[in-house]
Amino acid sequence: MNERLSFTPLGPYIGAQVSNLDVSRPLSDAQFEQLYHGLLRHQVLFLRDQKITPEQHRALAIRFGDLHIHPVYPHAQGVEEIIVLDTHQDNPPDNDNWHTDVTFIDTPPAIALLASKVLPEAGGDTLWTSGIAAYEALSEPFKQLLAGLSAEHDFKKSFQEYKYRKTREEHQRWQQAVAKHPPVQHPVIRTHPVSGKKALFVNEGFTTRIVELSEKESDALLGFLFAHATKPEFQVRWRWQPDDLAIWDNRVTQHYANADYYPARRIMQRATVLGDKPR
């Protein structure tokens, strides 16, 4: 049996399509090793025609490490590690901004796996951008400026209170999440724990300020970094088909779920693998 995976790069910096793999079956060690090394190299991988149940989704994700359970998003029935992102007329999209998932915790996710379940007739693409490419494009003096800086990441920046007032139970869950997740600090530049590559690690979804700077300096620098990190040169864009699977390295990427399809319906399911403390 041929266990060799094929990776077709989708751009010079980020993104590759994987073929010759069916993730509904348990992966052999050789298949998993190729998938993991491909992920480190390309930062986000795409697989077509992967019909997987939430249980199979979890089984694949857990090969990468322990899974995160989200404090506010709903989950698949009986599988709490699989988030259901169901956007429609009464539940507008909330991830149509550039963000890195769950950077509001001390050990932000290393990897995420997103499966498409129900798609609009048109639109709903997702874009990813490479924090490694963004960092490497900076001048040496600018890299030195950023080297010693740390930034604050806050759950409340993306999960604002007014969105969670529909029911008393929902509001209580939001309040508990806020109490459990005070703002945390991470380095502005992080080093990938496996590859050793440096990457920008601030994102518009959760980063509120650079700790060592005054408010105006922080706003100016973050404004530049948010714009720089998301230049088209560093991006890949994926046009979803039903039963696609995207796997990305959350340590060194940001992504943006285009909300151009709203108010049509779009259902995605995500597994999120916990990472280490950024350094």
Side-chain angles (χ1 to χ4, degrees):
M1 181 177 148
N2 177 17
E3 291 197 338
R4 190 159 186 80
L5 308 191
S6 169
F7 296 89
T8 307
L10 301 177
Y13 297 121
I14 182 171
Q17 189 167 342
V18 184
S19 44
N20 196 31
L21 185 63
D22 174 4
V23 301
S24 68
R25 300 185 181 138
L27 272 59
S28 70
D29 289 346
Q31 287 173 319
F32 180 76
E33 196 169 325
Q34 290 175 76
L35 189 68
Y36 190 68
H37 284 287
L39 182 64
L40 292 178
R41 184 174 168 196
H42 299 289
Q43 299 166 60
V44 55
L45 302 176
F46 304 101
L47 297 87
R48 297 275 195 208
D49 302 316
Q50 304 292 325
K51 289 182 166 57
I52 52 170
T53 65
E55 289 80 7
Q56 290 165 332
H57 194 161
R58 175 175 63 189
L60 173 64
I62 216 158
R63 289 287 294 268
F64 291 96
D66 294 334
L67 302 185
H68 177 253
I69 294 167
H70 201 278
V72 290
Y73 281 143
H75 57 74
Q77 191 173 356
V79 190
E80 63 179 355
E81 301 91 346
I82 302 296
I83 297 166
V84 178
L85 303 164
D86 183 353
T87 42
H88 49 78
Q89 177 88 49
D90 299 323
N91 186 37
D94 68 352
N95 44 19
D96 52 334
N97 61 9
W98 283 105
H99 63 284
T100 299
D101 284 337
V102 197
T103 60
F104 56 82
I105 62 173
D106 281 328
T107 54
I111 292 158
L113 303 89
L114 186 68
S116 56
K117 297 299 176 184
V118 174
L119 294 173
E121 277 184 38
D125 297 357
T126 304
L127 299 88
W128 281 263
T129 190
S130 167
I132 295 172
Y135 173 76
E136 290 176 353
L138 294 170
S139 67
E140 281 308 316
F142 212 85
K143 288 176 184 171
Q144 285 167 25
L145 166 69
L146 299 177
L149 300 179
S150 50
E152 192 169 271
H153 296 244
D154 192 343
F155 169 84
K156 293 196 298 295
K157 190 175 181 192
S158 266
F159 296 95
Q160 296 103 326
E161 186 168 12
Y162 75 89
K163 293 179 183 173
Y164 295 90
R165 288 184 175 275
K166 288 193 205 88
T167 65
R168 201 167 134 221
E169 184 191 35
E170 184 184 64
H171 190 225
Q172 266 181 334
R173 194 162 68 233
W174 180 89
Q175 288 173 317
Q176 286 166 355
V178 169
K180 201 176 163 189
H181 297 97
V184 297
Q185 291 180 15
H186 299 306
V188 170
I189 303 301
R190 79 172 291 179
T191 304
H192 193 290
V194 184
S195 71
K197 290 188 173 176
K198 287 184 162 41
L200 268 184
F201 197 65
V202 291
N203 71 90
E204 210 163 347
F206 295 112
T207 309
T208 50
R209 65 189 183 99
I210 295 178
V211 178
E212 295 83 1
L213 304 184
S214 71
E215 188 176 353
K216 284 191 173 167
E217 289 171 339
S218 171
D219 288 347
L221 189 50
L222 282 178
F224 168 78
L225 292 175
F226 293 156
H228 172 75
T230 56
K231 283 169 72 175
E233 292 92 312
F234 312 139
Q235 293 177 22
V236 64
R237 181 176 187 135
W238 186 249
R239 181 160 292 174
W240 295 97
Q241 293 176 10
D243 301 312
D244 281 356
L245 180 69
I247 307 173
W248 67 92
D249 191 330
N250 195 65
R251 295 167 287 207
V252 291
T253 61
Q254 297 182 47
H255 55 284
Y256 186 114
N258 196 332
D260 55 357
Y261 60 91
Y262 182 73
R265 194 173 193 187
R266 180 178 182 267
I267 303 177
M268 314 291 277
Q269 296 187 347
R270 189 182 88 206
T272 317
V273 183
L274 284 168
D276 60 337
K277 199 169 171 53
R279 300 185 193 291

